[in-house]
Amino acid sequence: MRLLRIFEGANNEYHWFLRQRFRDRIRQTYSQPTSHADDRNWFCQLSLVLALGQALEKVPKQESEEINDPWDINQSSAPLDLFGQAVSLFTISETLTLEDLEGLNLMAYYCHFTNRPKAAVIYISQSIALARLLQLDDPDTYRPESSGRQDGKGQQITKEHMLRLWWTTVCLDKTLASELEMTTVYLGPSLELPLPSSEGLSAKDEAEFFDLDLLLAEIQS
């Protein structure tokens, strides 16, 4: 999982996905290769993280590292090849999911990182639209009365995940718009939404999330 660690270490200021769940899915993908065979968006997301990990990598890996790292797939693929693979895998159906948003945010960030700001804005525009269709910009989404049937702890993690995804999307929108001296895609105020918080989360729960203080700094910048 070296490339995943590189990605996480360099991009800890945003919330991209639930970290432990992502790692568990990687392990399951390799231990049971057919377990996610039909999940195109999972392989899209995995390809994007690997592409960013490769693009961020500073020191060429040693031959021994290639042999000893069973999680480092697509070792010979260039980052751009992995990104193209991710784009070809990505699909959106009428049943929208948080994973769709995670994938679009990663695409936007990859284009930003590889100096393709116009493409990045196109992807973040889709992210904003999808997030709003998921009602992530609606304060009612995060109120206890909309908890549904999930248990309290699971629902708390899910809502915090949704909230941090929304703020990450807004922050990326702001960063990309500034780069091109454009107005942001999302023009509505987010003032009524709560800020991300670790209140009520155990240490195990917090391990699912990226750095809270860095995300708050991005929101308030």
Side-chain angles (χ1 to χ4, degrees):
M1 294 191 185
R2 180 175 52 82
L3 293 178
L4 174 59
R5 289 193 296 270
I6 292 171
F7 167 78
E8 289 184 331
N11 298 289
N12 212 17
E13 71 272 27
Y14 296 126
H15 178 70
W16 303 103
F17 41 74
L18 292 174
R19 298 175 72 178
Q20 189 55 51
R21 181 173 181 270
F22 193 90
R23 290 171 181 270
D24 290 344
R25 291 189 77 182
I26 290 178
R27 293 187 180 97
Q28 187 179 38
T29 297
Y30 286 97
S31 63
Q32 304 173 38
T34 61
S35 58
H36 299 289
D38 298 323
D39 192 344
R40 293 172 60 91
N41 283 4
W42 158 242
F43 286 104
C44 164
Q45 194 172 7
L46 179 57
S47 296
L48 289 165
V49 170
L50 293 174
L52 279 160
Q54 285 187 347
L56 288 159
E57 193 171 23
K58 302 296 184 184
V59 181
K61 57 191 171 186
Q62 302 298 318
E63 183 177 352
S64 60
E65 290 180 310
E66 295 181 3
I67 295 172
N68 294 330
D69 191 349
W71 306 107
D72 188 10
I73 65 167
N74 290 316
Q75 294 180 35
S76 61
S77 299
L80 189 59
D81 294 333
L82 286 168
F83 179 75
Q85 174 178 288
V87 171
S88 68
L89 286 167
F90 186 72
T91 60
I92 291 182
S93 69
E94 284 297 300
T95 305
L96 302 176
T97 68
L98 294 175
E99 285 189 359
D100 296 337
L101 179 58
E102 293 166 4
L104 285 170
N105 282 348
L106 286 166
M107 288 182 191
Y109 185 75
Y110 180 87
C111 291
H112 167 65
F113 184 79
T114 55
N115 197 30
R116 291 188 282 174
K118 294 177 183 177
V121 167
I122 291 172
Y123 284 119
I124 203 63
S125 299
Q126 295 178 66
S127 288
I128 292 290
L130 196 154
R132 296 190 70 187
L133 287 168
L134 290 170
Q135 298 183 310
L136 300 192
D137 61 331
D138 185 350
D140 288 341
T141 299
Y142 307 100
R143 291 187 178 131
E145 57 266 26
S146 62
S147 60
R149 295 186 177 181
Q150 279 188 285
D151 64 274
K153 178 60 67 176
Q155 183 65 18
Q156 185 176 11
I157 293 173
T158 298
K159 287 192 174 184
E160 186 63 24
H161 175 44
M162 294 164 68
L163 183 63
R164 295 195 193 195
L165 275 179
W166 169 255
W167 281 113
T168 292
T169 305
V170 169
C171 288
L172 285 171
D173 180 26
K174 181 174 62 175
T175 297
L176 298 174
S178 175
E179 187 172 312
L180 290 178
E181 298 183 348
M182 297 172 58
T183 57
T184 58
V185 176
Y186 182 70
L187 299 175
S190 295
L191 299 178
E192 296 182 8
L193 291 180
L195 290 172
S197 170
S198 59
E199 183 178 354
L201 297 177
S202 66
K204 181 180 178 181
D205 298 335
E206 286 192 60
E208 290 281 14
F209 298 96
F210 291 79
D211 192 287
L212 175 60
D213 291 336
L214 291 178
L215 178 57
L216 289 173
E218 287 290 323
I219 293 169
Q220 295 163 0
S221 65

